[in-house]
Amino acid sequence: DGGITQSPKYLFRKEGQNVTLSCEQNLNHDAMYWYRQDPGQGLRLIYYSQIVNDFQKGDIAEGYSVSREKKESFPLTVTSAQKNPTAFYLCASSTLLAGGNNEQFFGPGTRLTVL
Amino acid sequence: GENVEQHPSTLSVQEGDSAVIKCTYSDSASNYFPWYKQELGKRPQLIIDIRSNVGEKKDQRIAVTLNKTAKHFSLHITETQPEDSAVYFCAASRYSSASKIIFGSGTRLSIRP
């Protein structure tokens, strides 16, 4: 299924707790992304990274943090500062070839529920 | 900021009929326009894409058209089948620096038997 995995599939969190969502890819892709999906709102970009040890904020970065210590891994931490974290989180990766096919490959997603 | 608007949000068509989903984008420098299909409970997957140097692209029952002047692009599905039922997302980006793809809000397509 595209070589990009996310874990866990379902995650429950108590209010005030930080949680970390895992994303791993073996596609040798340079770029990785985190999206949040809410019903009727499409895919909103949280953070993205083009290269190891570098990442950029997306449209809704507040309350989230990421790291990119390895090319294959791009974990997302949902902090207690995120006011409404219950959502479906999708990780994606792509190549960064100028003029090339930069199709985004998505992971299976993590459904986070705050209790 | 950059924006992609997608219409309609829901679409129901009779099996065998055609479905059309339309998108407009705001960034005039956008030159890569992919379409993703997300079946219930599954991940989005690319179904077709078009670059700005082409006005139309077909792949069996699906086609995409692009009007760069008007900043419009559309997805056309002909002879719809039950397995076409899904949420479809359009997107726009600059493929010279494709780190940031802007997605539309999605269209839920239902095929009536």
Short mmCIF file of all heavy atoms in Angstrom, two decimals, chain B residues 4-66:
data_model
loop_
_atom_site.label_atom_id
_atom_site.label_comp_id
_atom_site.label_asym_id
_atom_site.label_seq_id
_atom_site.Cartn_x
_atom_site.Cartn_y
_atom_site.Cartn_z
N VAL B 4 -8.31 26.89 -3.01
CA VAL B 4 -8.95 26.08 -4.05
C VAL B 4 -10.40 25.85 -3.61
O VAL B 4 -10.63 25.33 -2.52
CB VAL B 4 -8.24 24.72 -4.24
CG1 VAL B 4 -9.01 23.85 -5.22
CG2 VAL B 4 -6.82 24.94 -4.74
N GLU B 5 -11.32 26.26 -4.46
CA GLU B 5 -12.73 26.05 -4.17
C GLU B 5 -13.27 24.92 -5.03
O GLU B 5 -12.97 24.85 -6.22
CB GLU B 5 -13.53 27.33 -4.43
CG GLU B 5 -13.19 28.44 -3.46
CD GLU B 5 -14.17 29.61 -3.55
OE1 GLU B 5 -15.11 29.53 -4.36
OE2 GLU B 5 -13.97 30.58 -2.80
N GLN B 6 -14.07 24.07 -4.42
CA GLN B 6 -14.56 22.87 -5.10
C GLN B 6 -16.08 22.80 -4.96
O GLN B 6 -16.63 23.00 -3.88
CB GLN B 6 -13.92 21.63 -4.47
CG GLN B 6 -14.30 20.32 -5.12
CD GLN B 6 -13.48 19.15 -4.61
OE1 GLN B 6 -12.46 19.32 -3.93
NE2 GLN B 6 -13.90 17.95 -4.94
N HIS B 7 -16.75 22.45 -6.08
CA HIS B 7 -18.21 22.35 -6.10
C HIS B 7 -18.64 21.20 -7.01
O HIS B 7 -17.99 20.94 -8.02
CB HIS B 7 -18.82 23.65 -6.65
CG HIS B 7 -18.48 24.85 -5.84
ND1 HIS B 7 -19.11 25.14 -4.65
CD2 HIS B 7 -17.54 25.80 -6.03
CE1 HIS B 7 -18.59 26.25 -4.16
NE2 HIS B 7 -17.64 26.67 -4.97
N PRO B 8 -19.73 20.53 -6.67
CA PRO B 8 -20.53 20.70 -5.46
C PRO B 8 -19.91 19.94 -4.28
O PRO B 8 -18.97 19.18 -4.47
CB PRO B 8 -21.87 20.09 -5.86
CG PRO B 8 -21.48 18.98 -6.79
CD PRO B 8 -20.27 19.49 -7.54
N SER B 9 -20.43 20.10 -3.10
CA SER B 9 -19.91 19.37 -1.94
C SER B 9 -20.48 17.94 -1.92
O SER B 9 -19.84 17.03 -1.41
CB SER B 9 -20.26 20.09 -0.64
OG SER B 9 -21.65 20.28 -0.53
N THR B 10 -21.69 17.78 -2.46
CA THR B 10 -22.26 16.44 -2.61
C THR B 10 -22.88 16.33 -3.99
O THR B 10 -23.38 17.33 -4.54
CB THR B 10 -23.34 16.12 -1.55
OG1 THR B 10 -24.39 17.09 -1.67
CG2 THR B 10 -22.76 16.18 -0.14
N LEU B 11 -22.83 15.13 -4.54
CA LEU B 11 -23.35 14.89 -5.88
C LEU B 11 -23.90 13.47 -5.95
O LEU B 11 -23.20 12.52 -5.57
CB LEU B 11 -22.22 15.09 -6.90
CG LEU B 11 -22.54 14.88 -8.37
CD1 LEU B 11 -23.62 15.85 -8.84
CD2 LEU B 11 -21.28 15.05 -9.22
N SER B 12 -25.13 13.36 -6.41
CA SER B 12 -25.75 12.05 -6.57
C SER B 12 -26.16 11.88 -8.02
O SER B 12 -26.87 12.74 -8.56
CB SER B 12 -26.96 11.93 -5.64
OG SER B 12 -27.60 10.68 -5.81
N VAL B 13 -25.71 10.82 -8.66
CA VAL B 13 -26.05 10.58 -10.06
C VAL B 13 -26.51 9.14 -10.24
O VAL B 13 -26.14 8.24 -9.46
CB VAL B 13 -24.87 10.88 -11.02
CG1 VAL B 13 -24.43 12.32 -10.88
CG2 VAL B 13 -23.73 9.92 -10.80
N GLN B 14 -27.32 8.94 -11.25
CA GLN B 14 -27.80 7.60 -11.59
C GLN B 14 -26.66 6.81 -12.22
O GLN B 14 -25.87 7.35 -13.01
CB GLN B 14 -28.95 7.73 -12.59
CG GLN B 14 -29.75 6.45 -12.82
CD GLN B 14 -30.67 6.15 -11.66
OE1 GLN B 14 -31.19 7.06 -11.02
NE2 GLN B 14 -30.85 4.88 -11.39
N GLU B 15 -26.58 5.55 -11.86
CA GLU B 15 -25.57 4.69 -12.45
C GLU B 15 -25.65 4.75 -13.97
O GLU B 15 -26.74 4.66 -14.55
CB GLU B 15 -25.76 3.24 -11.97
CG GLU B 15 -24.72 2.27 -12.47
CD GLU B 15 -24.92 0.87 -11.92
OE1 GLU B 15 -25.76 0.70 -11.00
OE2 GLU B 15 -24.25 -0.06 -12.41
N GLY B 16 -24.49 4.93 -14.59
CA GLY B 16 -24.45 5.03 -16.05
C GLY B 16 -24.41 6.46 -16.56
O GLY B 16 -23.97 6.70 -17.69
N ASP B 17 -24.86 7.40 -15.73
CA ASP B 17 -24.80 8.81 -16.11
C ASP B 17 -23.40 9.37 -15.84
O ASP B 17 -22.54 8.70 -15.26
CB ASP B 17 -25.84 9.62 -15.32
CG ASP B 17 -27.25 9.35 -15.80
OD1 ASP B 17 -27.41 8.66 -16.85
OD2 ASP B 17 -28.20 9.80 -15.13
N SER B 18 -23.20 10.62 -16.25
CA SER B 18 -21.91 11.29 -16.05
C SER B 18 -21.94 12.16 -14.81
O SER B 18 -22.99 12.62 -14.37
CB SER B 18 -21.57 12.15 -17.27
OG SER B 18 -21.40 11.36 -18.42
N ALA B 19 -20.76 12.36 -14.24
CA ALA B 19 -20.60 13.24 -13.08
C ALA B 19 -19.51 14.25 -13.39
O ALA B 19 -18.49 13.91 -13.99
CB ALA B 19 -20.23 12.44 -11.84
N VAL B 20 -19.75 15.49 -12.96
CA VAL B 20 -18.77 16.55 -13.18
C VAL B 20 -18.52 17.29 -11.87
O VAL B 20 -19.47 17.69 -11.19
CB VAL B 20 -19.24 17.57 -14.25
CG1 VAL B 20 -18.18 18.65 -14.44
CG2 VAL B 20 -19.53 16.87 -15.56
N ILE B 21 -17.27 17.45 -11.53
CA ILE B 21 -16.87 18.18 -10.32
C ILE B 21 -15.97 19.32 -10.76
O ILE B 21 -15.06 19.11 -11.58
CB ILE B 21 -16.13 17.27 -9.33
CG1 ILE B 21 -17.02 16.08 -8.94
CG2 ILE B 21 -15.71 18.05 -8.10
CD1 ILE B 21 -16.29 15.00 -8.15
N LYS B 22 -16.22 20.51 -10.23
CA LYS B 22 -15.50 21.69 -10.69
C LYS B 22 -14.69 22.33 -9.57
O LYS B 22 -15.12 22.36 -8.42
CB LYS B 22 -16.49 22.71 -11.25
CG LYS B 22 -17.27 22.18 -12.44
CD LYS B 22 -18.22 23.23 -13.00
CE LYS B 22 -18.97 22.67 -14.21
NZ LYS B 22 -19.87 23.69 -14.81
N CYS B 23 -13.54 22.87 -9.95
CA CYS B 23 -12.67 23.55 -9.00
C CYS B 23 -12.14 24.84 -9.60
O CYS B 23 -11.93 24.92 -10.82
CB CYS B 23 -11.50 22.66 -8.58
SG CYS B 23 -12.00 21.26 -7.57
N THR B 24 -11.93 25.82 -8.74
CA THR B 24 -11.25 27.04 -9.14
C THR B 24 -10.09 27.28 -8.18
O THR B 24 -10.16 26.88 -7.00
CB THR B 24 -12.19 28.26 -9.11
OG1 THR B 24 -12.70 28.41 -7.76
CG2 THR B 24 -13.36 28.07 -10.04
N TYR B 25 -9.03 27.91 -8.66
CA TYR B 25 -7.86 28.16 -7.82
C TYR B 25 -7.49 29.63 -7.90
O TYR B 25 -7.82 30.32 -8.84
CB TYR B 25 -6.70 27.26 -8.24
CG TYR B 25 -6.23 27.43 -9.66
CD1 TYR B 25 -5.14 28.22 -9.97
CD2 TYR B 25 -6.86 26.76 -10.70
CE1 TYR B 25 -4.70 28.36 -11.27
CE2 TYR B 25 -6.43 26.89 -12.00
CZ TYR B 25 -5.35 27.70 -12.29
OH TYR B 25 -4.91 27.84 -13.58
N SER B 26 -6.77 30.07 -6.87
CA SER B 26 -6.46 31.50 -6.79
C SER B 26 -5.02 31.83 -7.19
O SER B 26 -4.75 32.93 -7.67
CB SER B 26 -6.72 32.01 -5.37
OG SER B 26 -5.91 31.32 -4.45
N ASP B 27 -4.10 30.88 -7.00
CA ASP B 27 -2.69 31.14 -7.29
C ASP B 27 -2.42 30.98 -8.79
O ASP B 27 -2.39 29.85 -9.30
CB ASP B 27 -1.82 30.18 -6.48
CG ASP B 27 -0.33 30.42 -6.69
OD1 ASP B 27 0.05 31.41 -7.38
OD2 ASP B 27 0.48 29.62 -6.19
N SER B 28 -2.20 32.07 -9.47
CA SER B 28 -2.03 32.01 -10.92
C SER B 28 -0.74 31.29 -11.33
O SER B 28 -0.57 30.92 -12.48
CB SER B 28 -2.03 33.42 -11.51
OG SER B 28 -1.04 34.21 -10.89
N ALA B 29 0.17 31.08 -10.36
CA ALA B 29 1.41 30.36 -10.66
C ALA B 29 1.25 28.85 -10.54
O ALA B 29 2.18 28.10 -10.84
CB ALA B 29 2.52 30.83 -9.72
N SER B 30 0.09 28.39 -10.13
CA SER B 30 -0.16 26.95 -10.04
C SER B 30 -0.05 26.32 -11.41
O SER B 30 -0.53 26.88 -12.41
CB SER B 30 -1.55 26.67 -9.47
OG SER B 30 -1.65 27.12 -8.14
N ASN B 31 0.61 25.16 -11.48
CA ASN B 31 0.77 24.51 -12.79
C ASN B 31 0.64 23.00 -12.72
O ASN B 31 0.96 22.29 -13.67
CB ASN B 31 2.10 24.91 -13.43
CG ASN B 31 3.26 24.77 -12.47
OD1 ASN B 31 3.17 24.05 -11.49
ND2 ASN B 31 4.34 25.47 -12.75
N TYR B 32 0.20 22.49 -11.58
CA TYR B 32 -0.01 21.05 -11.43
C TYR B 32 -1.31 20.84 -10.67
O TYR B 32 -1.50 21.42 -9.59
CB TYR B 32 1.17 20.43 -10.67
CG TYR B 32 1.00 18.97 -10.35
CD1 TYR B 32 0.88 18.02 -11.35
CD2 TYR B 32 0.98 18.54 -9.02
CE1 TYR B 32 0.72 16.68 -11.05
CE2 TYR B 32 0.83 17.20 -8.72
CZ TYR B 32 0.70 16.27 -9.73
OH TYR B 32 0.55 14.95 -9.43
N PHE B 33 -2.20 20.01 -11.25
CA PHE B 33 -3.56 19.89 -10.71
C PHE B 33 -3.93 18.41 -10.60
O PHE B 33 -4.42 17.81 -11.54
CB PHE B 33 -4.55 20.63 -11.61
CG PHE B 33 -4.15 22.06 -11.86
CD1 PHE B 33 -3.39 22.40 -12.97
CD2 PHE B 33 -4.52 23.05 -10.97
CE1 PHE B 33 -2.99 23.71 -13.19
CE2 PHE B 33 -4.14 24.37 -11.19
CZ PHE B 33 -3.38 24.70 -12.29
N PRO B 34 -3.72 17.82 -9.43
CA PRO B 34 -4.07 16.40 -9.25
C PRO B 34 -5.48 16.25 -8.69
O PRO B 34 -6.02 17.16 -8.06
CB PRO B 34 -3.04 15.94 -8.21
CG PRO B 34 -2.74 17.16 -7.40
CD PRO B 34 -2.93 18.35 -8.32
N TRP B 35 -6.05 15.10 -8.93
CA TRP B 35 -7.34 14.71 -8.35
C TRP B 35 -7.14 13.43 -7.54
O TRP B 35 -6.52 12.48 -8.02
CB TRP B 35 -8.38 14.47 -9.43
CG TRP B 35 -8.90 15.71 -10.07
CD1 TRP B 35 -8.36 16.37 -11.13
CD2 TRP B 35 -10.06 16.45 -9.69
NE1 TRP B 35 -9.11 17.49 -11.44
CE2 TRP B 35 -10.16 17.55 -10.57
CE3 TRP B 35 -11.04 16.29 -8.70
CZ2 TRP B 35 -11.19 18.49 -10.48
CZ3 TRP B 35 -12.06 17.21 -8.62
CH2 TRP B 35 -12.15 18.30 -9.50
N TYR B 36 -7.69 13.43 -6.32
CA TYR B 36 -7.57 12.27 -5.45
C TYR B 36 -8.96 11.71 -5.15
O TYR B 36 -9.93 12.46 -5.02
CB TYR B 36 -6.88 12.64 -4.13
CG TYR B 36 -5.40 12.89 -4.26
CD1 TYR B 36 -4.92 14.12 -4.72
CD2 TYR B 36 -4.48 11.89 -3.95
CE1 TYR B 36 -3.56 14.34 -4.85
CE2 TYR B 36 -3.12 12.11 -4.08
CZ TYR B 36 -2.68 13.34 -4.54
OH TYR B 36 -1.34 13.55 -4.67
N LYS B 37 -9.02 10.41 -5.00
CA LYS B 37 -10.26 9.71 -4.65
C LYS B 37 -10.06 9.06 -3.29
O LYS B 37 -9.05 8.38 -3.06
CB LYS B 37 -10.56 8.65 -5.70
CG LYS B 37 -11.78 7.77 -5.39
CD LYS B 37 -11.93 6.70 -6.47
CE LYS B 37 -13.12 5.80 -6.20
NZ LYS B 37 -13.25 4.73 -7.23
N GLN B 38 -11.02 9.27 -2.40
CA GLN B 38 -10.94 8.65 -1.07
C GLN B 38 -12.20 7.84 -0.83
O GLN B 38 -13.28 8.40 -0.63
CB GLN B 38 -10.76 9.70 0.02
CG GLN B 38 -10.53 9.10 1.40
CD GLN B 38 -10.32 10.17 2.47
OE1 GLN B 38 -10.78 11.29 2.34
NE2 GLN B 38 -9.59 9.81 3.53
N GLU B 39 -12.06 6.53 -0.86
CA GLU B 39 -13.18 5.66 -0.53
C GLU B 39 -13.36 5.63 0.98
O GLU B 39 -12.45 5.94 1.74
CB GLU B 39 -12.93 4.27 -1.10
CG GLU B 39 -12.85 4.28 -2.62
CD GLU B 39 -12.57 2.91 -3.21
OE1 GLU B 39 -12.66 1.91 -2.48
OE2 GLU B 39 -12.27 2.84 -4.40
N LEU B 40 -14.55 5.25 1.40
CA LEU B 40 -14.91 5.29 2.81
C LEU B 40 -13.91 4.51 3.66
O LEU B 40 -13.65 3.33 3.40
CB LEU B 40 -16.31 4.72 3.00
CG LEU B 40 -16.92 4.89 4.39
CD1 LEU B 40 -17.07 6.36 4.74
CD2 LEU B 40 -18.27 4.18 4.47
N GLY B 41 -13.33 5.18 4.64
CA GLY B 41 -12.40 4.53 5.56
C GLY B 41 -11.02 4.26 5.00
O GLY B 41 -10.20 3.62 5.66
N LYS B 42 -10.76 4.76 3.78
CA LYS B 42 -9.45 4.49 3.16
C LYS B 42 -8.67 5.78 2.94
O LYS B 42 -9.17 6.88 3.15
CB LYS B 42 -9.64 3.74 1.85
CG LYS B 42 -10.27 2.35 2.03
CD LYS B 42 -10.24 1.57 0.75
CE LYS B 42 -10.79 0.16 0.97
NZ LYS B 42 -10.78 -0.64 -0.28
N ARG B 43 -7.45 5.64 2.49
CA ARG B 43 -6.60 6.80 2.25
C ARG B 43 -6.89 7.40 0.88
O ARG B 43 -7.31 6.71 -0.03
CB ARG B 43 -5.13 6.39 2.34
CG ARG B 43 -4.66 5.52 1.17
CD ARG B 43 -3.30 4.93 1.42
NE ARG B 43 -3.34 3.77 2.30
CZ ARG B 43 -2.26 3.18 2.81
NH1 ARG B 43 -1.07 3.64 2.54
NH2 ARG B 43 -2.37 2.12 3.58
N PRO B 44 -6.65 8.70 0.70
CA PRO B 44 -6.79 9.30 -0.63
C PRO B 44 -5.75 8.72 -1.59
O PRO B 44 -4.60 8.46 -1.20
CB PRO B 44 -6.51 10.78 -0.38
CG PRO B 44 -6.70 10.98 1.08
CD PRO B 44 -6.31 9.69 1.72
N GLN B 45 -6.17 8.52 -2.83
CA GLN B 45 -5.25 8.02 -3.85
C GLN B 45 -5.41 8.84 -5.12
O GLN B 45 -6.54 9.19 -5.51
CB GLN B 45 -5.50 6.54 -4.13
CG GLN B 45 -5.12 5.64 -2.95
CD GLN B 45 -5.12 4.17 -3.31
OE1 GLN B 45 -6.14 3.65 -3.75
NE2 GLN B 45 -4.00 3.50 -3.13
N LEU B 46 -4.29 9.11 -5.76
CA LEU B 46 -4.29 9.88 -7.00
C LEU B 46 -5.00 9.09 -8.10
O LEU B 46 -4.70 7.91 -8.32
CB LEU B 46 -2.86 10.17 -7.43
CG LEU B 46 -2.68 11.00 -8.70
CD1 LEU B 46 -3.06 12.45 -8.45
CD2 LEU B 46 -1.26 10.89 -9.22
N ILE B 47 -5.92 9.74 -8.80
CA ILE B 47 -6.59 9.06 -9.91
C ILE B 47 -6.23 9.67 -11.26
O ILE B 47 -6.21 8.97 -12.27
CB ILE B 47 -8.13 9.06 -9.74
CG1 ILE B 47 -8.68 10.48 -9.55
CG2 ILE B 47 -8.54 8.15 -8.60
CD1 ILE B 47 -10.20 10.55 -9.60
N ILE B 48 -5.93 10.94 -11.29
CA ILE B 48 -5.53 11.59 -12.53
C ILE B 48 -4.95 12.95 -12.18
O ILE B 48 -5.28 13.52 -11.13
CB ILE B 48 -6.73 11.74 -13.51
CG1 ILE B 48 -6.25 12.09 -14.92
CG2 ILE B 48 -7.74 12.75 -13.00
CD1 ILE B 48 -7.34 11.95 -15.99
N ASP B 49 -4.06 13.43 -13.02
CA ASP B 49 -3.52 14.77 -12.81
C ASP B 49 -3.30 15.45 -14.16
O ASP B 49 -3.29 14.79 -15.21
CB ASP B 49 -2.23 14.76 -11.99
CG ASP B 49 -1.14 13.88 -12.61
OD1 ASP B 49 -1.24 13.52 -13.79
OD2 ASP B 49 -0.19 13.54 -11.87
N ILE B 50 -3.16 16.75 -14.13
CA ILE B 50 -2.95 17.50 -15.37
C ILE B 50 -1.98 18.64 -15.09
O ILE B 50 -1.98 19.22 -14.00
CB ILE B 50 -4.29 18.02 -15.95
CG1 ILE B 50 -4.10 18.57 -17.36
CG2 ILE B 50 -4.93 19.06 -15.03
CD1 ILE B 50 -5.40 18.83 -18.09
N ARG B 51 -1.14 18.92 -16.07
CA ARG B 51 -0.20 20.02 -15.95
C ARG B 51 -0.66 21.17 -16.83
O ARG B 51 -1.44 20.98 -17.75
CB ARG B 51 1.21 19.55 -16.33
CG ARG B 51 1.66 18.39 -15.47
CD ARG B 51 3.14 18.09 -15.61
NE ARG B 51 3.50 16.86 -14.91
CZ ARG B 51 3.70 16.78 -13.60
NH1 ARG B 51 3.56 17.85 -12.86
NH2 ARG B 51 4.01 15.63 -13.05
N SER B 52 -0.13 22.34 -16.57
CA SER B 52 -0.67 23.55 -17.18
C SER B 52 -0.42 23.64 -18.68
O SER B 52 -1.02 24.48 -19.35
CB SER B 52 -0.10 24.79 -16.49
OG SER B 52 1.31 24.79 -16.60
N ASN B 53 0.46 22.82 -19.21
CA ASN B 53 0.72 22.89 -20.64
C ASN B 53 -0.25 22.03 -21.44
O ASN B 53 -0.10 21.89 -22.66
CB ASN B 53 2.17 22.46 -20.94
CG ASN B 53 2.48 21.06 -20.43
OD1 ASN B 53 1.72 20.48 -19.66
ND2 ASN B 53 3.59 20.52 -20.87
N VAL B 54 -1.24 21.46 -20.75
CA VAL B 54 -2.22 20.59 -21.39
C VAL B 54 -3.62 21.08 -21.02
O VAL B 54 -3.85 21.48 -19.90
CB VAL B 54 -2.03 19.13 -20.92
CG1 VAL B 54 -3.11 18.23 -21.48
CG2 VAL B 54 -0.66 18.63 -21.33
N GLY B 55 -4.55 21.03 -21.98
CA GLY B 55 -5.90 21.49 -21.69
C GLY B 55 -6.84 20.39 -21.26
O GLY B 55 -7.84 20.65 -20.60
N GLU B 56 -6.50 19.14 -21.64
CA GLU B 56 -7.38 18.03 -21.31
C GLU B 56 -6.56 16.75 -21.23
O GLU B 56 -5.58 16.57 -21.96
CB GLU B 56 -8.48 17.87 -22.37
CG GLU B 56 -9.49 16.78 -22.06
CD GLU B 56 -10.62 16.70 -23.08
OE1 GLU B 56 -10.61 17.48 -24.04
OE2 GLU B 56 -11.52 15.86 -22.89
N LYS B 57 -6.99 15.87 -20.35
CA LYS B 57 -6.32 14.57 -20.22
C LYS B 57 -7.37 13.53 -19.91
O LYS B 57 -8.28 13.79 -19.10
CB LYS B 57 -5.27 14.63 -19.11
CG LYS B 57 -4.45 13.37 -18.93
CD LYS B 57 -3.39 13.58 -17.86
CE LYS B 57 -2.58 12.34 -17.60
NZ LYS B 57 -1.56 12.57 -16.54
N LYS B 58 -7.27 12.36 -20.56
CA LYS B 58 -8.26 11.30 -20.35
C LYS B 58 -7.57 10.03 -19.90
O LYS B 58 -6.44 9.73 -20.30
CB LYS B 58 -9.01 11.02 -21.65
CG LYS B 58 -10.04 12.04 -22.02
CD LYS B 58 -10.81 11.59 -23.26
CE LYS B 58 -11.90 12.59 -23.63
NZ LYS B 58 -12.66 12.16 -24.82
N ASP B 59 -8.30 9.27 -19.09
CA ASP B 59 -7.84 7.94 -18.69
C ASP B 59 -9.07 7.08 -18.53
O ASP B 59 -9.75 7.12 -17.50
CB ASP B 59 -7.04 8.01 -17.39
CG ASP B 59 -6.48 6.66 -16.98
OD1 ASP B 59 -6.66 5.67 -17.74
OD2 ASP B 59 -5.85 6.57 -15.91
N GLN B 60 -9.40 6.36 -19.56
CA GLN B 60 -10.59 5.50 -19.61
C GLN B 60 -11.83 6.33 -19.35
O GLN B 60 -12.18 7.19 -20.16
CB GLN B 60 -10.42 4.34 -18.61
CG GLN B 60 -9.22 3.46 -18.94
CD GLN B 60 -9.06 2.29 -18.00
OE1 GLN B 60 -9.63 2.23 -16.90
NE2 GLN B 60 -8.30 1.30 -18.42
N ARG B 61 -12.53 6.11 -18.23
CA ARG B 61 -13.79 6.82 -18.00
C ARG B 61 -13.63 8.17 -17.32
O ARG B 61 -14.61 8.88 -17.09
CB ARG B 61 -14.73 5.94 -17.16
CG ARG B 61 -15.18 4.65 -17.81
CD ARG B 61 -16.22 3.93 -16.97
NE ARG B 61 -15.69 3.53 -15.67
CZ ARG B 61 -16.01 4.10 -14.51
NH1 ARG B 61 -16.87 5.12 -14.48
NH2 ARG B 61 -15.49 3.66 -13.38
N ILE B 62 -12.44 8.52 -16.96
CA ILE B 62 -12.25 9.80 -16.29
C ILE B 62 -11.44 10.75 -17.17
O ILE B 62 -10.58 10.33 -17.94
CB ILE B 62 -11.58 9.65 -14.90
CG1 ILE B 62 -10.20 9.00 -15.02
CG2 ILE B 62 -12.46 8.86 -13.96
CD1 ILE B 62 -9.44 9.00 -13.71
N ALA B 63 -11.75 12.03 -17.04
CA ALA B 63 -11.05 13.05 -17.80
C ALA B 63 -10.97 14.30 -16.95
O ALA B 63 -11.81 14.54 -16.07
CB ALA B 63 -11.77 13.36 -19.11
N VAL B 64 -9.96 15.07 -17.19
CA VAL B 64 -9.81 16.35 -16.50
C VAL B 64 -9.58 17.42 -17.56
O VAL B 64 -8.86 17.20 -18.54
CB VAL B 64 -8.69 16.30 -15.45
CG1 VAL B 64 -7.36 15.94 -16.07
CG2 VAL B 64 -8.60 17.61 -14.70
N THR B 65 -10.22 18.57 -17.37
CA THR B 65 -10.02 19.71 -18.26
C THR B 65 -9.48 20.87 -17.45
O THR B 65 -9.76 21.01 -16.25
CB THR B 65 -11.34 20.11 -18.94
OG1 THR B 65 -12.30 20.43 -17.92
CG2 THR B 65 -11.87 18.99 -19.80
N LEU B 66 -8.71 21.71 -18.09
CA LEU B 66 -8.08 22.85 -17.42
C LEU B 66 -8.25 24.09 -18.29
O LEU B 66 -7.96 24.08 -19.47
CB LEU B 66 -6.60 22.57 -17.19
CG LEU B 66 -5.75 23.74 -16.68
CD1 LEU B 66 -6.19 24.16 -15.28
CD2 LEU B 66 -4.27 23.38 -16.70
#
